Amino acid sequence: MYGALLGDLIGSPWEFNRIKHDRFEMFSAQCAFTDDTIMTVAVADSLLHNVDPAASMRAWAQRVKPQRGGYGAIFWVWLNNPDDEPYGSAGNGGAMRVSAAGMLGSTLDDVLAKATMVTACTHDHHIGLNAAKATAHAIWMAKNHATQNQIRVALEDAYGYDLSRPYEVVQRECFHSELAIPSVPEAITCALQSTSFEDCMRKVVALGGDSDTQAAIAGPIAEMLWGIPEEYMFELRARIPAHMLNIIDAIYIA
């Protein structure tokens, strides 16, 4: 969970200023939370307090404005129309906000049920839904001490992703896309081929893709694999409002 928020912060300067190298300042003055953090908190709040996820997302969108960037046009319409149905999204937004399901699920079946519940209110296309399930699945496995290779094999079997391509190939072929395919497997690959949380973040930004969202997807997987450096947590608490962090903190003691 912390990894998702850190990923959003670290990736935020590069979403529209894309780079193909890893030589960047990790926490610059341009780092700021986006809609990805707000929706991650909203989903966590929903799962912690048994609140309808659609209602929680709409409430948090009204309560907090992004410091950087903004919501996608179709999602914004959905947020502002409480009677709107799911709109068949195959985007990466469901995977970006789903990390609480991977943290709170007691079994894999529970994780996937939670991921489906908080995703299908918008991303009911099977590609978007599977991306959220795959992300939560990977977080849960990493939390339960699975190896990177075990996670790779499980996700390839369950979702048909190719996570075996070397990072250098993924980076070379990556382009900016907000669709779940290809962006979610790319993000997961960064986590599964990383050697530390920092290494994962640098790999994601250097893809030159949808950097804040992909880092928010890879971040909680890398967090469960490697932990988060203390200095990164200091930056997180300095940059995210306390009322938002209170929700995320509660995930770790739930």
Side-chain angles (χ1 to χ4, degrees):
M1 291 297 301
Y2 297 132
L5 274 60
L6 282 164
D8 185 35
L9 285 173
I10 292 165
S12 63
W14 311 108
E15 181 180 12
F16 301 110
N17 184 28
R18 295 182 281 278
I19 56 176
K20 284 284 189 178
H21 63 80
D22 64 3
R23 302 177 303 279
F24 61 91
E25 185 179 356
M26 194 67 72
F27 294 102
S28 69
Q30 286 70 47
C31 292
F33 70 80
T34 77
D35 57 296
D36 294 8
T37 287
I38 299 169
M39 289 299 101
T40 296
V41 171
V43 167
D45 194 12
S46 166
L47 291 174
L48 277 169
H49 300 114
N50 196 29
V51 175
D52 173 68
S56 185
M57 284 188 275
R58 289 177 170 123
W60 276 96
Q62 291 297 317
R63 185 179 181 187
V64 182
K65 305 304 179 189
Q67 292 179 330
R68 191 180 186 96
Y71 295 96
I74 299 174
F75 184 68
W76 181 248
V77 170
W78 178 87
L79 279 174
N80 287 280
N81 290 275
D83 295 328
D84 273 10
E85 297 295 321
Y87 51 90
S89 177
N92 57 20
M96 159 273 288
R97 69 191 189 215
V98 80
S99 47
M103 293 291 292
L104 291 173
S106 56
T107 65
L108 178 57
D109 285 345
D110 187 32
V111 166
L112 299 181
K114 284 178 165 61
T116 299
M117 180 182 67
V118 300
T119 303
C121 52
T122 53
H123 293 60
D124 56 337
H125 190 288
H126 72 276
I127 292 176
L129 188 56
N130 276 348
K133 291 165 65 177
T135 302
H137 190 155
I139 294 166
W140 182 82
M141 287 189 70
K143 181 185 176 187
N144 285 280
H145 311 296
T147 67
Q148 289 162 296
N149 189 59
Q150 287 170 330
I151 298 169
R152 178 187 63 79
V153 170
L155 267 56
E156 287 181 336
D157 287 348
Y159 308 101
Y161 291 169
D162 180 4
L163 303 174
S164 64
R165 292 184 301 158
Y167 170 76
E168 292 74 18
V169 174
V170 176
Q171 181 196 35
R172 183 174 66 246
E173 297 179 355
C174 178
F175 58 91
H176 183 272
S177 175
E178 296 178 4
L179 294 174
I181 302 294
S183 65
V184 173
E186 290 168 348
I188 294 173
T189 295
C190 289
L192 297 186
Q193 296 188 26
S194 66
T195 57
S196 67
F197 187 82
E198 177 179 343
D199 180 57
C200 178
M201 293 294 99
R202 293 195 180 280
K203 279 180 162 63
V204 174
V205 171
L207 288 175
D210 187 9
S211 58
D212 62 327
T213 297
Q214 288 183 296
I217 292 165
I221 304 171
E223 174 189 359
M224 293 298 106
L225 289 168
W226 307 114
I228 295 174
E230 183 178 345
E231 60 269 26
Y232 284 37
M233 291 301 299
F234 177 83
E235 294 286 350
L236 179 70
R237 295 197 178 279
R239 295 169 187 261
I240 302 295
H243 70 281
M244 299 172 73
L245 282 173
N246 288 341
I247 300 294
I248 304 304
D249 289 341
I251 294 286
Y252 291 82
I253 57 176

